[in-house]
Amino acid sequence: MLRIKGLTKRYRTGDLALKGIDIEVPDGQVMALIGPSGAGKSTVIRCINRLVEPTAGTITLNDTEIVGLRSGELRRMRRRMGMIFQEYALVERLSVMENVLSGRLGYVGFWQSFMRKFPQSDIDEAFRLLARVGLDHMADKRADELSGGQRQRVGICRALIQNPELLLVDEPTASLDPKTSRQIMRLIKELCGERKLAAIINIHDVMLAQMFAERIVGLKLGEIVYDGPPDKLTPAVLTQIYGEEDWASTIRKADDDAEPVDEIAPATPAETPVIERARLAGLT
Amino acid sequence: MSGAIVTSKKVWQRHDRKTQLAVWAAWLFGTAVFVYCFQLISERTIWAFVWDAPAQAADLGARMVPPAWSYIHYLWRPIWDTLNIATLGTIISIVIAVPIAYCAARNTTPSVAFVRPVALFIIVASRSINSLIWALMLVTIVGPGVFAGIIAIGLRSIGFVAKLLYEAIEEIDESQVEAVRSTGASAAQTTVYGIVPQVMPAFAGITVFRWDINIRESTVLGLVGAGGIGLELNAAITQLYWTQVSLMLLVIIGTVILSEWVSAKVRHAII
Amino acid sequence: MSLALPAHRTWKKPPAIKRAWLRWTLIVGAAIYLSLALGTTHVNWSRVWEGLPRGMQFVTAFLPPDFTSRWTEIVEGIAETLWMTVAATVVGIALSVPVGIGAARNIAPLPVYYFCRSVLAVSRSFQEIILAIFFVKLFGFGPFAGFVTLSFATIGFYGKLLAEDIEDMDPSQAEAVRATGAGWLQWLNYGVQPQVMPRMIGLGLYRLDINFRESAVVGIVGGGGIGATLDTAFNRYEFDSAAAIILIIIAIVMAVEYSSGYLRRWVQ
Ligand SMILES: Nc1ncnc2c1ncn2[C@@H]1O[C@H](COP(=O)(O)OP(=O)(O)OP(=O)(O)O)[C@@H](O)[C@H]1O
Ligand SMILES: [Mg+2]
């Protein structure tokens, strides 16, 4: 359970990015955060992880207060939250495996990580996750040799190997083509379902948000202007969030939910993982 | 643009008169400064020597051929020393320059107000003093020999390596570092996983580049007593053994060309 | 999840150099070289030990450095160095323009090209100091030798960069000027010069900077300037004067670097 109360952020430049917002995200809920550019979506996520310092307000994750933690406690807190970034933010000159394992840095000591001697259980978990997203045969490739969709899946693995209680996802699909975008969103949703993970997903694509999130929060100029289920997102609400526009074609129609035929990584493993992998590799 | 200049000269002249005037003034000023400087130099010059120089040069040239090839046996050791001065000096400079660069880069320095200026001052001081001057100092302090040369090369290279390295550190992609930090990594881990991989290619390139420069520089350190082939060269010149001098010049050219080739190869392999 | 994968797949970071024999050759080679290099480097530790107090003396000489007792020599040395720098930069650049043009493959005929390229190669392969020794032999002690040295070194640096710049220029612009019926010099002036000028001015200022640093050392072998003053100070163990000179050199280098950076921005 994530509780945000009165979260306010004023940047050193004077921008008041968040004006005292309150959000509660129960365990297992996938929440989409939408809003125009500059609304403060990234700021919310980065405040939760304390990559930026909140100016005021409280954030509690499962009864631990995040604001005001000292550095050691903050590190332990951060490893309970997995983060996924818009431009993937993989360390490009490290291999896929090293990128995934870097999600365990909060758990291992410096020398262990320096010598790349991670516990076997971490390595098993890394291979399991990579297999889950169809990339285990690419473990020793360098991250900058991957396509955008593949990189984002590595980013997802890096977040999940932290064994987090909360996923913070900042525009996961902004640099991807429409089809890959759906695959990535579906993957995130499935993984959250499997692990009963709460997630906050910043996203610009309203249709995708409606398709994959159970709850939508609309942010505008640092204030929450909508908080409710996806199907209550009417043109009037969108106008309130984004401003005047013809919204009719943006909003998802009921029959648009048909699953595409070439589906990504089903939750249940196939009998022949080799074929499965080859197929997945071809997708991106 | 150039076509316009040719075809519409009048417009261009009127349009640019102010700049044109400034350019002419700069030329005039520059010429005056140059003439003045040259005058001062010429006052301290014995022009008879200068007019005699071509004859002297011809004479010197004649004395230099053929190079004393057999003397090469006495040069292997100095060449080896020269190579060691450059290589060991480069290694020392790297060991010291890396933490200095870390302190000088805006995004990694522990303190912008206190540590960074100190690091920047060390960089400037090391860079502005030529390795020959460093060698001069060190020879009076630790005595003549290879050791002084190694330290001199090391001290001179610190500034160079640290400057290029800290500029590379300032240019890294901050989002990758942030992603590593967001996993709960400590500061040291964030450095190793987020920063080091990004600056590694630049670092390797800088090192090889500096090594190449150091080979050139270490050939002359012997002139002030800091070991290497320069020592032999100095001795040969003072004793007027010109055929040995020409041999050593050839050896130096050979070493420099070889090191240039090696560093080009290595840099190519890295990038 | 039980995928049909081995239960424990180990993972090790793949080595940076894939071929094992190459990797080991490099590692063993480096180790052998280092031990040989360290083993054959004779360090007279007792002499170093003796020198340490002198080193301390030198460090303490910086606080405070002695500007006064050798002030006239210092001023004279600095002035000489500055004239040398300016004159050598001007003459060096003036001479490197024809050489650089001659060394540009796209506008020079082949014999001229080879001749100019070899001039550049000779000038670049010798350290300034080695050149200075010979010029001192030829022209006698004093700033003239230093001036010739730096001019010659400037030709190598500037001529090469100019030649490369001309080779990289946009041929269509130059052709457009030639199409107007311009003569060869006019063509250079209108078609080539505007393209290479901005960068070359910047490089000229940069070379001024380098020449100043180098002129501080040609004095050590008799080429005049502050280097000679510094050498004398060291030989007399006048560390506090030497410290003063070094501080002045650092200050001037910083000033030149800063102002040349500023000028470069102003020119472009
Ligand atoms: N590092 C910063 N320093 C100063 N102001 C910032 C900083 N980061 C963001 N802001 C400001 O805070 C406000 C909210 O920015 P934020 O990045 O959270 O918006 P966003 O909703 O994520 O936008 P987008 O959809 O474009 O990513 C903006 O006005 C922005 O200018
Ligand atoms: Mg954002």
Side-chain angles (χ1 to χ4, degrees):
Chain A
M1 174 73 126
L2 176 78
R3 262 201 201 90
I4 300 175
K5 278 219 174 66
L7 180 62
T8 304
K9 173 65 193 175
R10 183 185 288 280
Y11 280 104
R12 226 175 301 168
T13 50
D15 298 81
L16 188 57
L18 296 176
K19 304 173 184 163
I21 62 164
D22 304 297
I23 308 175
E24 276 188 19
V25 188
D27 290 341
Q29 186 182 64
V30 175
M31 186 197 100
L33 194 55
I34 63 170
S37 211
K41 304 183 296 298
S42 301
T43 308
V44 171
I45 279 199
R46 296 159 71 80
C47 278
I48 297 173
N49 198 288
R50 288 265 306 275
L51 286 173
V52 305
E53 289 296 327
T55 311
T58 61
I59 304 169
T60 38
L61 179 63
N62 297 337
D63 301 326
T64 317
E65 173 58 50
I66 295 173
V67 181
L69 288 181
R70 305 308 259 126
S71 64
E73 297 163 320
L74 178 62
R75 284 186 56 201
R76 276 190 292 283
M77 192 64 221
R78 276 183 178 156
R79 69 187 193 195
R80 290 164 58 187
M81 296 182 279
M83 236 176 132
I84 297 169
F85 298 82
Q86 170 184 344
E87 300 282 352
Y88 330 119
L90 299 183
V91 183
E92 296 193 348
R93 298 188 57 89
L94 291 183
S95 68
V96 167
M97 193 58 168
E98 284 170 300
N99 268 293
V100 175
L101 286 174
S102 71
R104 296 300 291 178
L105 287 177
Y107 294 87
V108 301
F110 174 75
W111 281 111
Q112 247 183 319
S113 59
F114 184 74
M115 303 304 294
R116 311 295 199 258
K117 293 255 182 291
F118 288 83
Q120 183 62 39
S121 58
D122 288 356
I123 290 168
D124 289 341
E125 177 66 9
F127 274 118
R128 198 153 49 229
L129 283 166
L130 282 174
R132 175 67 180 82
V133 301
L135 287 175
D136 57 334
H137 59 300
M138 294 203 170
D140 284 330
K141 269 206 165 187
R142 241 170 58 175
D144 54 4
E145 294 168 10
L146 303 183
S147 72
Q150 289 170 331
R151 287 185 202 200
Q152 194 56 289
R153 288 191 225 164
V154 175
I156 292 171
C157 291
R158 174 173 66 186
L160 288 179
I161 203 173
Q162 287 178 243
N163 203 8
E165 296 158 34
L166 175 70
L167 267 190
L168 303 170
V169 191
D170 197 354
E171 294 181 30
T173 61
S175 319
L176 301 175
D177 68 62
K179 181 168 166 180
T180 317
S181 296
R182 288 186 178 207
Q183 291 170 343
I184 290 291
M185 284 301 289
R186 187 168 299 119
L187 184 63
I188 292 174
K189 188 182 178 189
E190 283 171 5
L191 288 165
C192 285
E194 286 165 22
R195 296 165 173 248
K196 302 280 174 292
L197 260 177
I200 300 182
I201 304 178
N202 286 354
I203 192 159
H204 275 302
D205 189 327
V206 176
M207 213 176 339
L208 271 183
Q210 286 178 300
M211 221 184 283
F212 295 104
E214 301 154 27
R215 172 182 167 198
I216 290 186
V217 171
L219 206 59
K220 185 186 184 182
L221 295 174
E223 280 168 314
I224 293 177
V225 291
Y226 175 82
D227 187 349
D231 43 352
K232 292 270 165 56
L233 210 56
T234 57
V237 174
L238 284 178
T239 303
Q240 199 192 345
I241 299 175
Y242 291 102
E244 200 63 52
E245 197 37 82
D246 176 18
W247 297 109
S249 59
T250 308
I251 294 175
R252 183 170 60 118
K253 294 176 190 70
D255 58 318
D256 199 23
D257 208 10
E259 295 287 278
V261 192
D262 47 357
E263 178 64 272
I264 189 176
T268 47
E271 291 93 13
T272 50
V274 184
I275 297 170
E276 178 69 10
R277 235 195 278 136
R279 195 166 67 85
L280 286 168
L283 280 181
T284 48
Chain B
M1 169 71 202
S2 12
I5 291 172
V6 178
T7 49
S8 56
K9 216 161 191 166
K10 264 180 198 153
V11 180
W12 163 67
Q13 261 187 341
R14 192 175 62 210
H15 191 67
D16 245 2
R17 176 159 287 170
K18 229 169 147 184
T19 324
Q20 195 62 23
L21 229 74
V23 168
W24 281 118
W27 271 107
L28 199 69
F29 178 73
T31 316
V33 168
F34 168 67
V35 169
Y36 175 70
C37 288
F38 196 81
Q39 203 115 49
L40 289 171
I41 291 176
S42 126
E43 269 171 29
R44 308 188 166 211
T45 308
I46 304 168
W47 284 98
F49 279 1
V50 176
W51 302 133
D52 192 33
Q56 287 273 334
D59 182 44
L60 208 62
R63 280 166 202 249
M64 278 181 158
V65 283
W69 295 112
S70 56
Y71 192 71
I72 190 88
H73 300 297
Y74 298 94
L75 290 183
W76 294 127
R77 177 68 208 220
I79 293 171
W80 171 248
D81 282 344
T82 303
L83 190 70
N84 290 342
I85 292 175
T87 311
L88 298 179
T90 310
I91 292 175
I92 290 180
S93 76
I94 290 168
V95 171
I96 303 175
V98 167
I100 290 182
Y102 189 84
C103 292
R106 216 175 268 283
N107 47 352
T108 51
T109 180
S111 146
V112 178
F114 300 107
V115 180
R116 185 161 190 268
V118 174
L120 289 180
F121 179 77
I122 295 175
I123 291 174
V124 170
S126 152
R127 263 159 42 82
S128 10
I129 303 176
N130 196 291
S131 48
L132 207 65
I133 295 180
W134 280 116
L136 196 65
M137 285 192 239
L138 286 158
V139 166
T140 49
I141 293 172
V142 302
V146 176
F147 187 63
I150 294 174
I151 306 290
I153 288 286
L155 289 177
R156 167 68 180 87
S157 310
I158 288 173
F160 181 92
V161 175
K163 176 165 193 273
L164 293 180
L165 188 59
Y166 97 73
E167 284 168 357
I169 294 178
E170 285 185 347
E171 275 168 20
I172 59 172
D173 176 6
E174 217 33 73
S175 72
Q176 298 179 27
V177 183
E178 214 162 54
V180 175
R181 187 176 301 134
S182 79
T183 66
S186 66
Q189 287 172 326
T190 309
T191 306
V192 169
Y193 273 74
I195 298 173
V196 172
Q198 292 194 58
V199 297
M200 214 51 196
F203 173 71
I206 294 165
T207 306
V208 178
F209 186 33
R210 185 65 220 185
W211 176 78
D212 183 19
I213 297 176
N214 282 346
I215 291 270
R216 281 163 198 264
E217 301 218 324
S218 59
T219 56
V220 298
L221 291 184
L223 297 174
V224 294
I229 196 164
L231 213 57
E232 300 288 321
L233 186 65
N234 200 21
I237 290 175
T238 41
Q239 293 163 25
L240 309 178
Y241 292 151
W242 294 110
T243 50
Q244 290 180 13
V245 172
S246 59
L247 175 71
M248 282 181 235
L249 293 183
L250 288 177
V251 166
I252 288 176
I253 292 192
T255 318
V256 167
I257 290 175
L258 199 68
S259 78
E260 206 163 84
W261 181 80
V262 169
S263 82
K265 275 275 168 229
V266 173
R267 243 177 314 179
H268 194 76
I270 294 166
I271 300 161
Chain C
M1 263 182 272
S2 56
L3 279 170
L5 290 164
H8 288 292
R9 255 174 91 178
T10 54
W11 174 84
K12 269 212 320 248
K13 185 181 164 59
I17 302 165
K18 293 264 159 37
R19 280 165 293 178
W21 62 268
L22 182 62
R23 184 166 70 246
W24 284 108
T25 316
L26 286 177
I27 292 174
V28 172
I32 290 176
Y33 168 75
L34 270 186
S35 49
L36 277 182
L38 290 173
T40 55
T41 301
H42 297 301
V43 183
N44 186 349
W45 288 110
S46 62
R47 175 65 183 81
V48 173
W49 186 246
E50 255 171 56
L52 283 185
R54 212 178 292 158
M56 276 315 293
Q57 250 178 28
F58 181 65
V59 172
T60 48
F62 275 93
L63 6 125
D66 177 9
F67 288 95
T68 45
S69 54
R70 296 265 162 222
W71 183 242
T72 42
E73 282 104 321
I74 294 177
V75 169
E76 217 159 279
I78 292 282
E80 216 170 75
T81 295
L82 286 175
W83 313 331
M84 245 158 67
T85 309
V86 172
T89 310
V90 171
V91 170
I93 291 179
L95 290 178
S96 64
V97 168
V99 178
I101 291 173
R105 187 68 209 90
N106 54 346
I107 58 176
L110 210 53
V112 177
Y113 170 76
Y114 282 126
F115 174 74
C116 290
R117 279 282 162 177
S118 41
V119 170
L120 294 183
V122 170
S123 145
R124 276 165 41 76
S125 22
F126 287 114
Q127 262 281 325
E128 278 86 345
I129 308 300
I130 295 182
L131 294 175
I133 293 175
F134 281 93
F135 288 131
V136 169
K137 278 261 174 257
L138 291 181
F139 301 121
F141 287 99
F144 191 78
F147 156 74
V148 175
T149 308
L150 293 176
S151 308
F152 192 62
T154 305
I155 294 177
F157 172 89
Y158 201 79
K160 177 158 185 282
L161 291 171
L162 177 63
E164 280 169 3
D165 232 30
I166 294 177
E167 284 173 355
D168 285 345
M169 75 179 182
D170 176 9
S172 63
Q173 284 185 43
E175 258 164 32
V177 175
R178 173 153 286 179
T180 63
W184 194 73
L185 277 178
Q186 284 171 320
W187 173 68
L188 273 184
N189 190 1
Y190 282 98
V192 179
Q193 191 194 342
Q195 290 194 57
V196 297
M197 203 58 180
R199 206 172 97 86
M200 292 329 278
I201 289 178
L203 283 172
L205 290 169
Y206 181 51
R207 185 65 214 188
L208 186 75
D209 192 1
I210 298 178
N211 276 349
F212 178 77
R213 286 168 206 234
E214 292 298 329
S215 71
V217 296
V218 292
I220 294 175
V221 293
I226 190 73
T229 324
L230 185 63
D231 195 23
T232 320
F234 271 115
N235 290 340
R236 294 183 189 152
Y237 295 111
E238 289 172 356
F239 289 142
D240 38 7
S241 293
I245 295 172
I246 286 175
L247 285 179
I248 291 175
I249 292 179
I250 294 180
I252 295 184
V253 167
M254 277 174 77
V256 170
E257 196 168 327
Y258 181 80
S259 52
S260 76
Y262 180 79
L263 256 172
R264 237 176 310 192
R265 243 167 293 140
W266 181 78
V267 166
Q268 281 159 8

